Amino acid sequence: MSGPNASPPYGQVLRLDELLQVARVHDDDVDHVLFLATHQSCEIYFAVVLRHLEAVRAALDARDGALAVRRAAPLPVLVATLVHQFDGLATLPPEAFHAVRDALGDASGFQSAQYREIEYLCGLRDSRFLNTAGFTDADRKRLRARLDERSVQEAYRDFAADQAERESVERVRGALLDFDEAFAVWRARHAVLAERFLGGGTGTAGSDGAAYLWRAARRRLVPDVWPGGADGPDAAGEAGEA
Ligand code: HEM
């Protein structure tokens, strides 16, 4: 099946040698493997989410509602997959979770620059997160660039104002709402998981743990697509430091 002009095989296309070398799958302790590889897998998905959001914004700016809906369609499914990542971590017995956590020191998902990129790209822009301890200079540069960019929310607003065909606007609104709802569910699942392991205890980034995540779960990425829009209940949620 492989002649001189054969296309590169599966492993090469996916650069699996490099990928599996940097993947945190080699630890002797399988609880560590589950914990760390789950976080890496979430970061890959965050990157995929970012690419799709950029594509949605481009389609809205090109006034192509059908394409925007098509680009947005995978987003809630990608986020639902991330919810299941938490289900995997919930299988850890409490003592195993605490052993992993002790070994990790202060590292926290709070330091996920891509996660803030998703918030900034959508239009949920709290520049205080630029000061997050643990961000590299490159992280801050990327985040500042996101703050200067047009947001998905702005692109949606302009599209909705311009588009005479209300059905098209409604389809785009529904697609973005599906995404934002899935994201809100992810945030809530995260809070429940933190409660399961930490109870009322603090997080590794120094927040009040599950209580912080429950407050964060009130944030909406694209408030305009919810009933009540930007004036809806707590649309911007509480942001700021952990
Ligand atoms: C047992 C598993 C987990 C627990 C107990 C947990 C707990 C927490 C806590 C307590 C915080 C608040 C900040 C702090 O003080 O550390 C936080 C933030 C965060 N974690 Fe997790 N987490 C878990 C898994 C994950 C996973 C798998 C991801 C995926 C990348 C993740 C991503 C995040 C993000 C993005 C934040 C910032 C949330 C925000 O500011 O809205 N966490 N986590």
Side-chain angles (χ1 to χ4, degrees), residues 5 10 14 43 66 75 78 92 100 109 121 137 147 163 179 211 235-236:
N5 296 323
Y10 177 84
L14 300 180
E43 289 290 339
L75 283 166
L78 291 167
L92 286 171
V100 174
L121 173 56
D137 289 346
L147 286 177
Q163 176 62 254
F179 165 60

Side-chain angles (χ1 to χ4, degrees), residues 35 38-43 46 82 85-86 89-90 92 97 101 106-112 115-116 119 129 186-187 190 193-195 197-198 201-210 212-213 216-217 219 240 242:
F35 194 84
T38 298
H39 281 77
Q40 285 187 311
S41 152
C42 289
E43 289 290 339
F46 287 165
L82 289 171
Q85 302 269 5
F86 288 139
L89 291 179
L92 286 171
F97 165 77
R101 188 177 188 237
D106 292 342
S108 164
F110 192 77
Q111 299 161 329
S112 167
Y115 186 80
R116 286 311 156 215
E119 290 189 340
F129 286 122
W186 186 88
R187 291 189 195 266
H190 190 190
L193 186 69
E195 220 173 288
F197 287 122
L198 304 174
T202 53
T204 41
S207 76
D208 53 359
Y212 166 78
L213 293 175
R219 296 180 197 149

